[in-house]
Amino acid sequence: MARRKIALIGAGNIGGELANLAVSRQLGDVVLFDIPSKENFAKGKALDLEQATSLTGADARVLGTSNWEDCAGADVLIITAGIPRKPGQSRDDLVAVNLPIIRDVADAAKKHCPDAFVIVISNPLDAMVYEFKRRTNAPAEKVVGMAGVLDSARFALFLAQEAGASIKDVRPMVLGGHGDDMVPLLSYTTINGLPVRQLLGKDVLTKLVDRTRKGGGEIVSLMGTSAYYAPAAAAIAMAEAYLGDQKRLLPCAAYLQGQYGCRDLYIGVPVIIGKGGVERIVEVELDEEEKGMLKKSVDSVQKVVDVVKAAG
Ligand code: APR
């Protein structure tokens, strides 16, 4: 069987770690794409990663490029093109600078990679993935946003630490937009099936929910730029679910057409990812408090999407 092709658009912090994980997990050959002024940087990272394969034994090629033709026929496209946050910025502050970038990427992706499963990471996530889908008119099942897997991973870590439990046993679920209004679902979060509300007190959980919501900002304020190891690992889990037809149930930004009371919007919800892409959007009952939180989060996303739409 021919090797799969993973095209990474943006060879920065997340792009580099995506490439590293894709190679080490042997998902396929990797193309690390960036703009012409960063082409040598992309080539250098690619060469460095390829040289590492002589030590890890991974059979995968890595190509650095600024030529979209090198991405042609990609099976998976992961987009990190754009500018990350700086301390004090919200993800929504990035909309003006990242909108023209996602539009450029969408036009090129439509031309060169029409059949790819596309995972958008660029922020503000829910609006950027919406714009990618709108601009390319790609099928909804082939375009997803990476947010819930990362937000859930952050929530899981905090829960595991607080409960003194193994990270392996935490089953978190965070829905909604990828912003400070995201919705960690306590009613569906368990430690190996045991409801987390029975294991940790209300005040502790409130604190952990708050830390999860601000989890990205916490790292930005420590590093001066945004996170990349966990975001890359989250997107790779989604890519692997697609490439391996794993049917994993993961919270992802999916295009909603009536589900959860939303229409024509990308919002983080539980989905099944397999070889068909987003094979199913799973609707679950939410309690009144969660419904209210989700509504607030959806309203925040809608405001940013309105800004995107108003820009043409
Ligand atoms: N096409 C391809 N790459 C682009 C384009 C474009 N049109 N415009 C910018 N880039 C590249 C930049 O040159 C840079 O190398 O995207 C890369 C982004 O890398 P970093 O600045 O290191 O940012 P990173 O931390 O990887 O985050 C990227 O993901 O989580 C989000 O908020 C984050 O929007 C940001 C994105």
Side-chain angles (χ1 to χ4, degrees), residues 71-103:
C71 302
D75 297 287
V76 172
L77 198 61
I78 309 184
I79 300 168
T80 62
I83 308 295
R85 285 198 276 174
K86 295 186 183 60
Q89 281 189 311
S90 79
R91 294 182 182 91
D92 294 351
D93 292 335
L94 300 173
V95 68
V97 62
N98 284 346
L99 181 59
I101 294 176
I102 199 77
R103 286 182 172 171

Side-chain angles (χ1 to χ4, degrees), residues 15-308:
E17 180 59 9
L18 284 167
N20 188 30
L21 291 173
V23 169
S24 60
R25 299 177 79 87
Q26 290 191 228
L27 297 190
D29 288 334
V30 172
V31 179
L32 201 46
F33 174 96
D34 213 300
I35 49 179
S37 61
K38 295 291 249 355
E39 182 173 30
N40 278 342
F41 181 72
K43 283 186 188 301
K45 267 196 187 184
L47 189 57
D48 189 12
L49 282 161
E50 270 202 320
Q51 289 168 356
T53 61
S54 89
L55 300 163
T56 60
D59 286 309
R61 299 299 316 267
V62 190
L63 176 75
T65 186
S66 65
N67 182 352
W68 264 98
E69 282 174 14
D70 290 324
C71 302
D75 297 287
V76 172
L77 198 61
I78 309 184
I79 300 168
T80 62
I83 308 295
R85 285 198 276 174
K86 295 186 183 60
Q89 281 189 311
S90 79
R91 294 182 182 91
D92 294 351
D93 292 335
L94 300 173
V95 68
V97 62
N98 284 346
L99 181 59
I101 294 176
I102 199 77
R103 286 182 172 171
D104 263 7
V105 170
D107 293 345
K110 185 179 169 75
K111 183 165 170 213
H112 296 283
C113 315
D115 300 321
F117 179 60
V118 180
I119 302 171
V120 177
I121 303 184
S122 310
N123 275 314
L125 186 272
D126 308 276
M128 294 299 101
V129 64
Y130 177 88
E131 184 59 12
F132 184 94
K133 154 93 177 84
R134 185 168 80 125
R135 188 97 174 174
T136 56
N137 204 22
E141 64 274 18
K142 296 299 275 293
V143 181
V144 276
M146 188 293 294
V149 179
L150 169 63
D151 297 328
S152 299
R154 288 178 171 150
F155 192 32
L157 175 72
F158 304 148
L159 287 164
Q161 288 175 340
E162 195 66 42
S166 166
I167 190 76
K168 289 198 278 291
D169 290 332
V170 183
R171 301 274 178 277
M173 183 55 67
V174 180
L175 306 188
H178 189 43
D180 293 353
D181 298 324
M182 67 181 72
V183 188
L185 289 185
L186 290 174
S187 59
Y188 289 103
T189 295
T190 72
I191 301 190
N192 228 352
L194 305 183
V196 78
R197 279 186 172 127
Q198 294 188 32
L199 299 167
L200 292 168
K202 195 166 186 284
D203 291 352
V204 170
L205 288 171
T206 303
K207 201 181 71 190
L208 302 188
V209 163
D210 189 55
R211 189 171 176 201
T212 301
R213 288 185 163 143
K214 297 176 185 150
E218 183 178 354
I219 290 179
V220 174
S221 64
L222 290 166
M223 295 204 301
T225 190
S226 51
Y228 42 96
Y229 293 117
I236 290 292
M238 293 162 65
E240 271 185 325
Y242 171 73
L243 291 168
D245 191 24
Q246 291 173 343
K247 318 283 188 202
R248 288 206 61 195
L249 191 155
L250 298 168
C252 300
Y255 186 64
L256 301 187
Q257 290 161 298
Q259 299 93 338
Y260 291 94
C262 299
R263 193 167 291 282
D264 188 32
L265 211 54
Y266 267 85
I267 293 290
V269 293
V271 303
I272 301 273
I273 298 187
K275 68 177 186 306
V278 175
E279 295 186 347
R280 185 178 157 201
I281 292 173
V282 181
E283 281 194 271
V284 290
E285 289 281 320
L286 302 180
D287 65 30
E288 287 309 312
E289 193 190 358
E290 290 163 345
K291 275 187 198 155
M293 290 193 296
L294 186 62
K295 163 106 183 38
K296 188 169 173 226
S297 180
V298 167
D299 290 348
S300 300
V301 171
Q302 184 71 62
K303 276 195 198 117
V304 188
V305 168
D306 287 346
V307 170
V308 164

